Amino acid sequence: MKNLKTTARSTVAMRRWGPPGIVTLAAMVAFAALGPATAAKQTRQVAEQVAQREAGEPIMAIVSIKSQQVTFYDAEGWILRAPVSTGTTGRETPAGVFAIVEKDRDHRSTMYDDAWMPHMQRITWNGIALHGGPLPGYAASHGCVRMPFGFAENLFDKTNIGMRVIISPNDAAPADFSHPSLFVPKREAIAAVPSRADKLSYEADEATRASDEAKKAAAAAAKEAASLPASLRKLEQQKTRADAELAFADKTLANAKTDQARAKAEELKQKAAAKAADATTQLDAAKAAAQPKRDAVAATKEAAKVAATKKADAVKAATDAKLALEPVSVYISRATQKLYVRRNTHKPAPDGGGEVFDTSIEVPVTIRNPDQPLGTHIFTAMARNDTGLRWSVVTIDSGDDAKNALDRITIPQDVWDRIGPTALPRSSIIISDEPLSAETNYRTEFVAVLSHQPQGGFITRKPTAPPMDVASDDGWDNGGNGFGFFYQQRDPYVQPANPRRQRGQYQYFQSTQPMQRSWW
């Protein structure tokens, strides 16, 4: 990233990004009511700033709890900067790694008496967000990051779901970085992605139609065969009664004492024998007719099973191709010694709110000297360059330096071969001592919190409710589109993450049994 010199203009200059924000009457009243001490604090705040160049799409935001400031960056450097107000003592904004998971222009809090939180950009589902709000000049929120009203308004339409939000306990900024372990995309692989995605999507649609036809055939055969057991039972009962009547006639004939009685018994036997023979014929015929129907049920059921397998394979292949068009995010945890991969599917969550993130890769990694801290480093692909991608790094937790941290990790080559050739700008690799927060679920990118920093803003909120059960193999309500594979039930078993703060004042929870995932 270019080391652009920080420049500033008045907030009037923000018109290039949109209309200037309007300070509400409530905000003016609040500011007017500030006492002398608070006003003195406020005069030391950094003013809103805009870089003196054309702004690109924001790639990340870095919130400094120490400086009470947020800075947004595009591929070339910082573009916007403003003062903020983070969580107050006991309700501290958690430091860590987040991403925008939902946006609401006119949000009302369900947690704090319908409080107005305009231009809300959520980063956890348990209530941590960036939004417009009053700034007294110091940390004063209940855990959210308040931004100036006009700044939040102008920013709202510039960010996207999945944009990285880094909350640092100290001042942090991206620095240029290169390392052989970072993704090196291949132009030919990227160029082939759209046509491959179209081809595999068509094949998935065809496989889905074939599977649906096979399901219908199996259902029809099963329906036709459904009445067979009852019909056969009825014929078997008729044969049993006929055989019993024939046996009674035989007995009657054997016991006859007179010619007249024998004649009458003989006549009864002949009728019973004819009836028994007819019942046997009907039963045998029904059994013979039933066998092809049973065979059809077995055959169509097996055909439906084969078609469903082909459909699953085709849908997974199509999904893989679609996801190759998206930036990829990787998280490597020293705590779990695992590597996790996520991409945004851009499918709306079926239970409401946010979008679905693919969670299909979770594999072990080898970390040299695993008892030694790595720190927390966020490597981001800022833009394309002649060698593939230009990278930056942001470090928010001391441990090993960024280069050494990457050097210590042995990443499975098959994972890199799968996702590296089509890696795009805004892809990222996060290395941390921390496990993923229990707030990480199918509706989030990665959520990781620094366990040695105050987390009161997490503690005062209930954890996100467990998500829906695993969806069907072809999407919601059998709707298709290949994203049904991503839904997993969140693990209900959690344990304390061993926070480093004394007396256990702050805790957050981590999963003890990661959900089972398959490859794309």
Side-chain angles (χ1 to χ4, degrees):
M1 179 181 299
K2 296 179 182 177
N3 185 17
L4 299 177
K5 184 177 179 181
T6 300
T7 57
R9 293 184 293 170
S10 69
T11 53
V12 175
M14 293 186 70
R15 290 174 183 168
R16 185 176 60 188
W17 268 54
I22 299 173
V23 178
T24 64
L25 176 62
M28 290 190 291
V29 171
F31 290 144
L34 293 175
T38 304
K41 290 182 183 179
Q42 193 169 359
T43 59
R44 294 193 295 270
Q45 281 188 280
V46 176
E48 296 176 34
Q49 301 173 19
V50 179
Q52 291 184 333
R53 59 179 176 83
E54 193 67 28
E57 178 185 347
I59 293 177
M60 72 176 80
I62 301 178
V63 176
S64 170
I65 295 176
K66 176 182 178 181
S67 297
Q68 292 291 286
Q69 177 178 272
V70 62
T71 306
F72 287 79
Y73 296 83
D74 68 3
E76 300 302 323
W78 77 273
I79 50 177
L80 287 173
R81 182 171 289 142
V84 299
S85 183
T86 60
T88 188
T89 303
R91 296 179 180 270
E92 297 87 352
T93 302
V97 182
F98 308 86
I100 295 173
V101 296
E102 185 188 38
K103 299 174 67 172
D104 186 355
R105 194 177 298 275
D106 190 25
H107 184 69
R108 295 281 176 173
S109 174
T110 58
M111 189 177 298
Y112 297 112
D113 299 323
D114 200 39
W116 186 43
M117 298 178 178
H119 304 101
M120 184 274 293
Q121 304 193 54
R122 184 188 301 279
I123 59 175
T124 74
W125 286 106
N126 70 351
I128 305 294
L130 284 67
H131 62 80
L135 305 184
Y138 49 87
S141 78
H142 287 85
C144 287
V145 177
R146 296 182 195 163
M147 302 181 293
F149 286 104
F151 183 89
E153 180 181 4
N154 291 329
L155 174 72
F156 188 81
D157 291 329
K158 309 299 184 293
T159 59
N160 295 310
I161 300 295
M163 190 201 79
R164 175 77 61 223
V165 176
I166 301 167
I167 300 179
S168 176
N170 299 300
D171 296 339
D176 289 339
F177 189 84
S178 62
H179 193 279
S181 293
L182 299 175
F183 302 133
V184 180
K186 299 178 181 178
R187 291 182 180 179
E188 60 274 18
I190 293 175
V193 166
S195 60
R196 182 172 182 269
D198 290 342
K199 176 178 178 292
L200 292 175
S201 180
Y202 173 79
E203 292 177 359
D205 289 342
E206 290 298 306
T208 298
R209 279 192 285 271
S211 178
D212 290 343
E213 292 292 331
K215 281 183 185 178
K216 290 178 181 177
K223 183 177 181 180
E224 186 176 355
S227 61
L228 289 177
S231 299
L232 290 175
R233 280 196 303 270
K234 184 177 180 180
L235 291 173
E236 285 171 349
Q237 290 168 358
Q238 289 178 359
K239 183 179 181 302
T240 299
R241 287 196 296 269
D243 289 343
E245 290 177 8
L246 180 58
F248 177 78
D250 281 337
K251 185 177 180 181
T252 301
L253 181 59
N255 294 330
K257 302 299 184 180
T258 64
D259 292 341
Q260 184 180 3
R262 278 193 294 272
K264 188 174 181 180
E266 187 65 37
E267 182 182 358
L268 180 63
K269 179 181 178 180
Q270 289 177 0
K271 290 180 179 179
K275 187 175 181 181
D278 183 57
T280 300
T281 300
Q282 290 185 49
L283 179 60
D284 291 343
K287 286 181 177 180
Q291 191 56 46
K293 294 181 180 180
R294 289 196 180 102
D295 293 343
V297 170
T300 54
K301 184 178 180 180
E302 181 60 26
K305 184 177 178 181
V306 171
T309 300
K310 289 182 178 179
K311 171 191 169 183
D313 292 341
V315 168
K316 289 173 77 174
T319 299
D320 191 355
K322 289 177 183 178
L323 290 175
L325 296 165
E326 293 296 324
V328 61
S329 185
V330 174
Y331 188 90
I332 300 172
S333 167
R334 183 175 68 90
T336 62
Q337 297 192 47
K338 286 188 176 182
L339 176 150
Y340 311 84
V341 177
R342 292 203 165 206
R343 278 173 163 151
N344 192 354
T345 69
H346 299 292
K347 290 294 295 182
D351 48 351
E355 298 176 355
V356 175
F357 286 78
D358 164 58
T359 63
S360 57
I361 294 182
E362 177 182 320
V363 296
V365 293
T366 301
I367 301 175
R368 190 174 72 251
N369 300 325
D371 56 329
Q372 299 298 316
L374 290 168
T376 295
H377 314 277
I378 302 96
F379 307 91
T380 305
M382 304 302 290
R384 292 186 175 92
N385 62 13
D386 293 339
T387 59
L389 292 171
R390 174 166 55 84
W391 290 81
S392 73
V393 64
V394 177
T395 296
I396 63 170
D397 190 23
S398 299
D400 216 339
D401 64 39
K403 179 183 180 302
N404 288 339
L406 267 177
D407 287 342
R408 287 169 53 192
I409 298 169
T410 302
I411 299 166
Q413 190 60 45
D414 58 342
V415 176
W416 249 222
D417 290 344
R418 180 179 288 269
I419 61 181
T422 58
L424 301 172
R426 294 187 289 118
S427 295
S428 62
I429 301 171
I430 303 163
I431 294 176
S432 181
D433 297 313
E434 307 294 347
L436 287 172
S437 166
E439 274 299 300
T440 302
N441 59 52
Y442 71 94
R443 291 192 299 167
T444 72
E445 214 238 41
F446 297 121
V447 179
V449 178
L450 301 186
S451 58
H452 60 93
Q453 295 294 325
Q455 301 152 33
F458 258 14
I459 297 169
T460 55
R461 291 165 163 79
K462 293 181 180 179
T464 298
M468 60 179 287
D469 291 335
V470 177
S472 63
D473 62 352
D474 57 351
W476 307 287
D477 298 326
N478 297 318
N481 283 332
F483 296 117
F485 293 103
F486 304 146
Y487 295 106
Q488 305 286 348
Q489 187 74 18
R490 233 182 91 198
D491 175 22
Y493 304 102
V494 293
Q495 65 179 10
N498 191 23
R500 286 172 251 177
R501 190 173 178 93
Q502 295 297 316
R503 293 187 298 277
Q505 183 178 356
Y506 301 106
Q507 288 187 346
Y508 64 103
F509 294 91
Q510 308 300 332
S511 173
T512 61
Q513 299 178 11
M515 57 190 174
Q516 297 298 315
R517 299 179 174 94
S518 60
W519 292 94
W520 290 332

